[in-house]
Structures are given as structure tokens and as C-alpha cells.
Amino acid sequence: MLVSPPPKGTDLAGNTYWYFKPVLAAPRARRMLQQNPKIPFSDIRIPPQWHQWLRYTRPNPPTILEQQEDVTRQRELKHLAQAADERWAAKPSVLDKPRRDNLELGVGDGDVEGTVGVRCEGAKKGVEEEMVQNEKRTEKPWKMKQGNPGEGWQPEAWASRPSRN
């Protein structure tokens, strides 16, 4: 009759964790998980503390209290993340449509009657000037000087110097 060692612990889902020394010349003791038979194999989640213990990065198995505190910490973290997301969503974004004093587009904020879609005369002149400048820049690009900057360069004639004696 084989006597199995007692399990080292359980997690909150009912999985049990074992620690034993194999009989046949194994270099170190083995740690293993025996999943809860009531949970489908695809739904098994190993807590981080037990995963550390199974991989020998943690010397002692976690306690039930430690696992419960970790679940509480994760719940609080999700709540804080949700609150941060709500604060972030409440702030105006740079990508949102401009609301006030958009002189280039001439769009008002709509708070005062008759300001939506009314162009400011100063902005209209500025936009027209910018359009004329853009046309000048792009007008007849084929008439621009072509070639490399040093295309017309020619070397000077070579003259020998008298030798030094």
C-alpha cells in the first residue's frame, strides 16, 4: 500500500497542490497541481502565488488569507481603474471637435444665437492669403531651375609649381 503525502495546500477554487519526493532517483522534490474535478479543464485558473510556488520561485506555499487579500486587492484595483477611466473620459480630448474661438474655420460655439457657422472677417482674410501663398508655391513647378547645384562647375586649369632645391 502506497502512502501519499498530505497536500501542501489548496487555492480558493478548490485545486490542491502537492509536494513529494519521487522514489526513483530524482534530483529534487516535485511540486504538482491536482485540479478540482468539478471545474472544466479549460476554466482552470492558477493564482499567481501558487504558480510561483510550482515553479520554485517561491519557497513557501501561500496561505488562504494571502489568497483572499489578493482577490480583494484585484477587486479594488479594478474599481480604481474604472474610476480613472471615467475621469479620463470626462476630460476634453485634443482630438475632439473645437468648441470655442475657432477663427480659421469660422465655427462658433453655438452658445450665442447666430454664432454657429458665422465666419470672422479677419480669419477669412488670413485664410485667403494663405491659399494664395500655397498657389504661388505650387504654381508651375516645371519652370523651376532643374539639375544639381554643382552641375555647371568646371575645374580650373592645372599649373605645375617650380621644384624646390
Side-chain angles (χ1 to χ4, degrees), residues 120-130:
C120 178
E121 292 302 320
K124 187 176 182 181
K125 290 178 187 175
V127 170
E128 288 175 359
E129 289 173 7
E130 187 176 333

Side-chain angles (χ1 to χ4, degrees), residues 35-148:
Q35 73 270 11
N36 185 353
K38 296 176 184 174
I39 299 174
F41 190 73
S42 60
D43 293 339
I44 292 176
R45 302 285 181 249
I46 301 173
Q49 296 90 355
W50 277 111
H51 194 270
Q52 291 170 352
W53 182 78
L54 286 171
R55 297 290 180 173
Y56 290 92
T57 56
R58 180 186 178 121
N60 300 322
T63 62
I64 293 290
L65 180 62
E66 184 180 352
Q67 295 174 54
Q68 290 171 343
E69 289 173 352
D70 189 54
V71 169
T72 305
R73 181 191 63 82
Q74 289 177 1
R75 192 177 315 122
E76 290 173 358
L77 188 65
K78 286 180 183 177
H79 176 70
L80 291 174
Q82 182 180 8
D85 286 344
E86 289 170 359
R87 283 194 310 269
W88 182 263
K91 287 184 178 181
S93 173
V94 177
L95 301 176
D96 290 343
K97 197 187 268 187
R99 295 265 316 146
R100 297 188 174 270
D101 300 330
N102 191 344
L103 299 177
E104 290 152 6
L105 298 176
V107 178
D109 58 3
D111 291 341
V112 181
E113 187 176 325
T115 60
V116 175
V118 177
R119 287 186 174 266
C120 178
E121 292 302 320
K124 187 176 182 181
K125 290 178 187 175
V127 170
E128 288 175 359
E129 289 173 7
E130 187 176 333
M131 289 174 62
V132 169
Q133 288 176 356
N134 284 341
E135 286 176 12
K136 286 181 183 177
R137 277 188 232 136
T138 58
E139 189 175 314
K140 302 177 185 174
W142 56 87
K143 288 189 175 181
M144 294 174 60
K145 184 179 177 182
Q146 295 180 353
N148 295 328

